[in-house]
Short mmCIF file of all heavy atoms in Angstrom, two decimals:
data_model
loop_
_atom_site.label_atom_id
_atom_site.label_comp_id
_atom_site.label_asym_id
_atom_site.label_seq_id
_atom_site.Cartn_x
_atom_site.Cartn_y
_atom_site.Cartn_z
N GLU E 7 9.94 -40.81 -14.67
CA GLU E 7 9.57 -40.91 -16.07
C GLU E 7 9.52 -39.50 -16.64
O GLU E 7 9.32 -38.55 -15.92
CB GLU E 7 8.23 -41.61 -16.21
CG GLU E 7 7.13 -40.89 -15.48
CD GLU E 7 5.80 -41.62 -15.61
OE1 GLU E 7 5.80 -42.83 -15.38
OE2 GLU E 7 4.81 -40.97 -15.94
N MET E 8 9.72 -39.42 -17.90
CA MET E 8 9.74 -38.08 -18.50
C MET E 8 8.36 -37.46 -18.41
O MET E 8 7.36 -38.10 -18.66
CB MET E 8 10.15 -38.19 -19.97
CG MET E 8 11.62 -38.41 -20.17
SD MET E 8 12.60 -37.10 -19.45
CE MET E 8 12.09 -35.74 -20.50
N SER E 9 8.31 -36.22 -18.01
CA SER E 9 7.01 -35.56 -18.00
C SER E 9 6.68 -35.14 -19.43
O SER E 9 7.55 -34.77 -20.19
CB SER E 9 7.06 -34.34 -17.11
OG SER E 9 7.79 -33.34 -17.74
N MET E 10 5.42 -35.27 -19.77
CA MET E 10 5.03 -34.93 -21.13
C MET E 10 4.43 -33.53 -21.13
O MET E 10 3.62 -33.20 -20.29
CB MET E 10 4.00 -35.93 -21.61
CG MET E 10 4.61 -37.30 -21.87
SD MET E 10 3.37 -38.44 -22.46
CE MET E 10 2.24 -38.45 -21.10
N SER E 11 4.85 -32.77 -22.05
CA SER E 11 4.28 -31.43 -22.15
C SER E 11 3.50 -31.32 -23.45
O SER E 11 3.92 -31.83 -24.47
CB SER E 11 5.39 -30.38 -22.17
OG SER E 11 6.29 -30.64 -21.16
N MET E 12 2.36 -30.70 -23.34
CA MET E 12 1.56 -30.49 -24.53
C MET E 12 1.50 -28.99 -24.77
O MET E 12 1.09 -28.24 -23.90
CB MET E 12 0.16 -31.04 -24.30
CG MET E 12 -0.66 -31.10 -25.55
SD MET E 12 -2.33 -31.58 -25.15
CE MET E 12 -2.98 -30.05 -24.55
N MET E 13 1.94 -28.59 -25.90
CA MET E 13 1.99 -27.16 -26.15
C MET E 13 0.81 -26.76 -27.02
O MET E 13 0.51 -27.38 -28.02
CB MET E 13 3.27 -26.79 -26.88
CG MET E 13 4.55 -27.25 -26.22
SD MET E 13 4.89 -26.37 -24.71
CE MET E 13 5.10 -24.73 -25.37
N GLU E 31 8.98 -20.42 -25.58
CA GLU E 31 10.16 -21.04 -24.97
C GLU E 31 10.07 -21.00 -23.45
O GLU E 31 10.32 -22.00 -22.77
CB GLU E 31 11.42 -20.28 -25.40
CG GLU E 31 12.11 -20.83 -26.61
CD GLU E 31 13.36 -20.03 -26.90
OE1 GLU E 31 13.24 -18.81 -27.12
OE2 GLU E 31 14.43 -20.62 -26.87
N LEU E 32 9.71 -19.82 -22.94
CA LEU E 32 9.64 -19.66 -21.50
C LEU E 32 8.56 -20.57 -20.93
O LEU E 32 8.73 -21.18 -19.87
CB LEU E 32 9.35 -18.20 -21.14
CG LEU E 32 9.34 -17.92 -19.64
CD1 LEU E 32 10.72 -18.16 -19.06
CD2 LEU E 32 8.89 -16.50 -19.35
N CYS E 33 7.45 -20.68 -21.65
CA CYS E 33 6.34 -21.50 -21.19
C CYS E 33 6.76 -22.97 -21.10
O CYS E 33 6.47 -23.66 -20.13
CB CYS E 33 5.18 -21.34 -22.15
SG CYS E 33 3.69 -22.09 -21.54
N ARG E 34 7.48 -23.41 -22.13
CA ARG E 34 7.94 -24.80 -22.12
C ARG E 34 8.88 -25.04 -20.93
O ARG E 34 8.76 -26.04 -20.22
CB ARG E 34 8.69 -25.10 -23.43
CG ARG E 34 8.89 -26.58 -23.69
CD ARG E 34 9.95 -26.79 -24.74
NE ARG E 34 9.72 -26.03 -25.96
CZ ARG E 34 9.11 -26.53 -27.03
NH1 ARG E 34 8.67 -27.75 -27.03
NH2 ARG E 34 8.94 -25.79 -28.10
N PHE E 35 9.77 -24.09 -20.70
CA PHE E 35 10.70 -24.22 -19.59
C PHE E 35 9.95 -24.23 -18.25
O PHE E 35 10.17 -25.10 -17.41
CB PHE E 35 11.70 -23.06 -19.62
CG PHE E 35 12.62 -23.01 -18.43
CD1 PHE E 35 13.63 -23.95 -18.29
CD2 PHE E 35 12.47 -22.04 -17.46
CE1 PHE E 35 14.48 -23.92 -17.20
CE2 PHE E 35 13.32 -22.00 -16.36
CZ PHE E 35 14.31 -22.94 -16.24
N LEU E 36 9.02 -23.26 -18.08
CA LEU E 36 8.32 -23.15 -16.80
C LEU E 36 7.47 -24.37 -16.51
O LEU E 36 7.35 -24.77 -15.36
CB LEU E 36 7.45 -21.89 -16.79
CG LEU E 36 8.19 -20.59 -16.51
CD1 LEU E 36 7.22 -19.42 -16.50
CD2 LEU E 36 8.93 -20.65 -15.18
N SER E 37 6.91 -24.98 -17.57
CA SER E 37 6.07 -26.14 -17.30
C SER E 37 6.91 -27.31 -16.81
O SER E 37 6.50 -28.04 -15.92
CB SER E 37 5.26 -26.53 -18.54
OG SER E 37 6.10 -27.10 -19.51
N ARG E 38 8.12 -27.44 -17.34
CA ARG E 38 9.00 -28.50 -16.84
C ARG E 38 9.51 -28.17 -15.43
O ARG E 38 9.60 -29.03 -14.57
CB ARG E 38 10.21 -28.69 -17.77
CG ARG E 38 9.86 -29.39 -19.05
CD ARG E 38 11.12 -29.84 -19.75
NE ARG E 38 11.79 -30.91 -19.03
CZ ARG E 38 13.09 -31.14 -19.08
NH1 ARG E 38 13.87 -30.35 -19.77
NH2 ARG E 38 13.62 -32.15 -18.43
N TYR E 39 9.83 -26.89 -15.25
CA TYR E 39 10.31 -26.43 -13.94
C TYR E 39 9.26 -26.74 -12.87
O TYR E 39 9.55 -27.32 -11.82
CB TYR E 39 10.57 -24.92 -14.02
CG TYR E 39 11.04 -24.27 -12.75
CD1 TYR E 39 12.39 -24.18 -12.45
CD2 TYR E 39 10.13 -23.74 -11.84
CE1 TYR E 39 12.82 -23.58 -11.28
CE2 TYR E 39 10.54 -23.14 -10.67
CZ TYR E 39 11.89 -23.06 -10.40
OH TYR E 39 12.31 -22.46 -9.24
N GLY E 40 8.00 -26.37 -13.18
CA GLY E 40 6.92 -26.61 -12.23
C GLY E 40 6.70 -28.08 -11.97
O GLY E 40 6.48 -28.50 -10.83
N ALA E 41 6.77 -28.89 -13.05
CA ALA E 41 6.53 -30.32 -12.90
C ALA E 41 7.57 -30.94 -11.95
O ALA E 41 7.23 -31.78 -11.12
CB ALA E 41 6.60 -31.00 -14.26
N TRP E 42 8.81 -30.48 -12.07
CA TRP E 42 9.86 -31.03 -11.19
C TRP E 42 9.75 -30.50 -9.78
O TRP E 42 9.95 -31.23 -8.81
CB TRP E 42 11.25 -30.73 -11.76
CG TRP E 42 11.70 -31.77 -12.71
CD1 TRP E 42 11.53 -31.77 -14.06
CD2 TRP E 42 12.36 -33.01 -12.38
NE1 TRP E 42 12.05 -32.93 -14.60
CE2 TRP E 42 12.57 -33.70 -13.59
CE3 TRP E 42 12.79 -33.58 -11.19
CZ2 TRP E 42 13.20 -34.94 -13.64
CZ3 TRP E 42 13.41 -34.81 -11.24
CH2 TRP E 42 13.61 -35.48 -12.45
N LEU E 43 9.42 -29.21 -9.66
CA LEU E 43 9.35 -28.61 -8.33
C LEU E 43 8.22 -29.25 -7.52
O LEU E 43 8.39 -29.63 -6.36
CB LEU E 43 9.14 -27.09 -8.45
CG LEU E 43 9.33 -26.28 -7.17
CD1 LEU E 43 10.73 -26.47 -6.62
CD2 LEU E 43 9.10 -24.81 -7.44
N LEU E 44 7.06 -29.42 -8.16
CA LEU E 44 5.93 -30.02 -7.45
C LEU E 44 6.20 -31.49 -7.18
O LEU E 44 5.89 -32.01 -6.11
CB LEU E 44 4.65 -29.85 -8.27
CG LEU E 44 3.34 -29.92 -7.50
CD1 LEU E 44 3.28 -28.86 -6.43
CD2 LEU E 44 2.15 -29.78 -8.43
N GLY E 45 6.83 -32.17 -8.15
CA GLY E 45 7.12 -33.59 -7.98
C GLY E 45 8.11 -33.85 -6.85
O GLY E 45 8.04 -34.86 -6.17
N SER E 46 9.03 -32.91 -6.64
CA SER E 46 10.01 -33.14 -5.58
C SER E 46 9.49 -32.70 -4.22
O SER E 46 10.24 -32.66 -3.25
CB SER E 46 11.33 -32.44 -5.90
OG SER E 46 11.12 -31.06 -5.96
N LEU E 53 5.70 -23.02 -5.37
CA LEU E 53 5.62 -23.18 -6.82
C LEU E 53 5.19 -21.87 -7.48
O LEU E 53 5.82 -21.37 -8.41
CB LEU E 53 4.62 -24.30 -7.13
CG LEU E 53 4.48 -24.68 -8.58
CD1 LEU E 53 5.61 -25.61 -8.97
CD2 LEU E 53 3.15 -25.36 -8.83
N MET E 57 7.73 -19.51 -9.85
CA MET E 57 7.45 -19.40 -11.28
C MET E 57 7.17 -17.96 -11.66
O MET E 57 7.60 -17.48 -12.71
CB MET E 57 6.32 -20.33 -11.68
CG MET E 57 6.81 -21.78 -11.70
SD MET E 57 5.55 -22.99 -11.94
CE MET E 57 5.18 -22.80 -13.65
N ILE E 77 0.06 -29.52 -14.14
CA ILE E 77 0.14 -28.07 -13.98
C ILE E 77 -0.17 -27.43 -15.33
O ILE E 77 0.35 -27.85 -16.36
CB ILE E 77 1.56 -27.63 -13.56
CG1 ILE E 77 1.99 -28.38 -12.32
CG2 ILE E 77 1.61 -26.15 -13.30
CD1 ILE E 77 3.43 -28.11 -11.97
N VAL E 79 0.25 -23.99 -17.34
CA VAL E 79 1.01 -22.74 -17.28
C VAL E 79 0.64 -21.90 -18.48
O VAL E 79 0.68 -22.39 -19.61
CB VAL E 79 2.53 -23.01 -17.32
CG1 VAL E 79 3.30 -21.73 -17.05
CG2 VAL E 79 2.91 -24.08 -16.34
N ALA E 92 0.86 -24.32 -21.61
CA ALA E 92 1.41 -25.68 -21.59
C ALA E 92 0.80 -26.43 -20.43
O ALA E 92 0.50 -25.85 -19.38
CB ALA E 92 2.93 -25.64 -21.44
N ILE E 93 0.56 -27.71 -20.66
CA ILE E 93 0.09 -28.56 -19.58
C ILE E 93 1.15 -29.62 -19.38
O ILE E 93 1.58 -30.25 -20.35
CB ILE E 93 -1.24 -29.25 -19.95
CG1 ILE E 93 -2.28 -28.21 -20.35
CG2 ILE E 93 -1.74 -30.09 -18.80
CD1 ILE E 93 -3.54 -28.81 -20.91
N SER E 94 1.60 -29.81 -18.17
CA SER E 94 2.60 -30.86 -17.98
C SER E 94 2.21 -31.74 -16.80
O SER E 94 1.59 -31.28 -15.84
CB SER E 94 3.99 -30.26 -17.78
OG SER E 94 3.99 -29.48 -16.63
N SER E 95 2.57 -33.00 -16.91
CA SER E 95 2.30 -33.94 -15.81
C SER E 95 3.35 -33.72 -14.74
O SER E 95 4.52 -33.52 -15.05
CB SER E 95 2.41 -35.38 -16.29
OG SER E 95 1.59 -35.58 -17.38
N VAL E 96 2.90 -33.77 -13.50
CA VAL E 96 3.84 -33.61 -12.39
C VAL E 96 4.83 -34.76 -12.42
O VAL E 96 4.46 -35.91 -12.62
CB VAL E 96 3.08 -33.56 -11.05
CG1 VAL E 96 4.04 -33.62 -9.89
CG2 VAL E 96 2.25 -32.30 -10.99
N GLN E 97 6.10 -34.41 -12.27
CA GLN E 97 7.15 -35.41 -12.35
C GLN E 97 7.00 -36.47 -11.26
O GLN E 97 6.89 -36.14 -10.08
CB GLN E 97 8.50 -34.69 -12.18
CG GLN E 97 9.69 -35.57 -12.40
CD GLN E 97 9.81 -35.99 -13.85
OE1 GLN E 97 9.43 -35.26 -14.74
NE2 GLN E 97 10.32 -37.19 -14.06
N ILE E 105 16.43 -30.94 -4.53
CA ILE E 105 15.97 -30.36 -5.79
C ILE E 105 15.14 -29.11 -5.52
O ILE E 105 15.31 -28.07 -6.17
CB ILE E 105 15.14 -31.40 -6.58
CG1 ILE E 105 16.06 -32.53 -7.06
CG2 ILE E 105 14.44 -30.75 -7.77
CD1 ILE E 105 15.40 -33.49 -8.01
N LEU E 109 16.18 -25.60 -7.08
CA LEU E 109 15.29 -24.94 -8.05
C LEU E 109 14.86 -23.58 -7.52
O LEU E 109 14.73 -22.62 -8.29
CB LEU E 109 14.08 -25.81 -8.36
CG LEU E 109 14.35 -27.07 -9.19
CD1 LEU E 109 13.06 -27.84 -9.43
CD2 LEU E 109 14.99 -26.73 -10.51
N GLU E 127 18.40 -22.78 -18.42
CA GLU E 127 18.04 -24.13 -18.88
C GLU E 127 19.14 -25.12 -18.57
O GLU E 127 18.88 -26.24 -18.16
CB GLU E 127 17.77 -24.10 -20.39
CG GLU E 127 16.33 -23.80 -20.73
CD GLU E 127 16.06 -23.99 -22.21
OE1 GLU E 127 16.90 -23.54 -23.01
OE2 GLU E 127 15.02 -24.57 -22.54
N ARG E 128 20.39 -24.68 -18.78
CA ARG E 128 21.51 -25.57 -18.53
C ARG E 128 21.58 -25.94 -17.04
O ARG E 128 21.72 -27.11 -16.68
CB ARG E 128 22.82 -24.88 -18.96
CG ARG E 128 24.01 -25.82 -19.13
CD ARG E 128 25.30 -25.04 -19.29
NE ARG E 128 25.58 -24.19 -18.14
CZ ARG E 128 26.05 -24.65 -16.97
NH1 ARG E 128 26.32 -25.92 -16.83
NH2 ARG E 128 26.27 -23.81 -15.97
N PHE E 130 19.14 -25.89 -14.93
CA PHE E 130 17.98 -26.73 -14.61
C PHE E 130 18.26 -28.20 -14.91
O PHE E 130 18.04 -29.07 -14.07
CB PHE E 130 16.77 -26.22 -15.40
CG PHE E 130 15.54 -27.09 -15.24
CD1 PHE E 130 14.80 -27.05 -14.07
CD2 PHE E 130 15.14 -27.93 -16.27
CE1 PHE E 130 13.69 -27.86 -13.92
CE2 PHE E 130 14.03 -28.73 -16.12
CZ PHE E 130 13.30 -28.69 -14.95
N GLU E 131 18.81 -28.44 -16.11
CA GLU E 131 19.13 -29.83 -16.49
C GLU E 131 20.12 -30.44 -15.51
O GLU E 131 20.03 -31.61 -15.15
CB GLU E 131 19.72 -29.89 -17.90
CG GLU E 131 18.77 -29.47 -19.00
CD GLU E 131 17.50 -30.33 -19.07
OE1 GLU E 131 17.57 -31.52 -18.70
OE2 GLU E 131 16.46 -29.79 -19.48
N GLN E 132 21.07 -29.60 -15.09
CA GLN E 132 22.09 -30.10 -14.17
C GLN E 132 21.48 -30.45 -12.81
O GLN E 132 21.81 -31.48 -12.22
CB GLN E 132 23.17 -29.02 -14.01
CG GLN E 132 24.48 -29.59 -13.55
CD GLN E 132 25.47 -28.50 -13.20
OE1 GLN E 132 25.26 -27.33 -13.52
NE2 GLN E 132 26.53 -28.87 -12.53
N ILE E 134 18.36 -31.34 -12.10
CA ILE E 134 17.49 -32.53 -12.06
C ILE E 134 18.25 -33.82 -12.31
O ILE E 134 17.73 -34.89 -12.02
CB ILE E 134 16.29 -32.41 -13.04
CG1 ILE E 134 16.78 -32.28 -14.48
CG2 ILE E 134 15.39 -31.27 -12.66
CD1 ILE E 134 15.65 -32.28 -15.48
N THR E 135 19.47 -33.74 -12.81
CA THR E 135 20.20 -34.99 -13.01
C THR E 135 21.25 -35.23 -11.94
O THR E 135 21.82 -36.31 -11.87
CB THR E 135 20.91 -35.00 -14.38
OG1 THR E 135 21.60 -33.76 -14.53
CG2 THR E 135 19.94 -35.17 -15.52
#
Side-chain angles (χ1 to χ4, degrees):
Chain E
E7 59 181 49
M8 283 302 294
S9 73
M10 289 180 300
S11 313
M12 191 187 79
M13 306 290 296
E31 266 182 301
L32 184 64
C33 189
R34 196 197 308 265
F35 174 72
L36 280 181
S37 72
R38 285 194 69 208
Y39 179 90
W42 273 92
L43 193 58
L44 203 59
S46 62
L53 184 81
M57 286 172 74
I77 306 173
V79 188
I93 305 172
S94 62
S95 306
V96 171
Q97 187 68 32
I105 292 189
L109 290 180
E127 271 188 316
R128 197 191 60 77
F130 174 75
E131 295 300 331
Q132 203 189 347
I134 61 175
T135 48

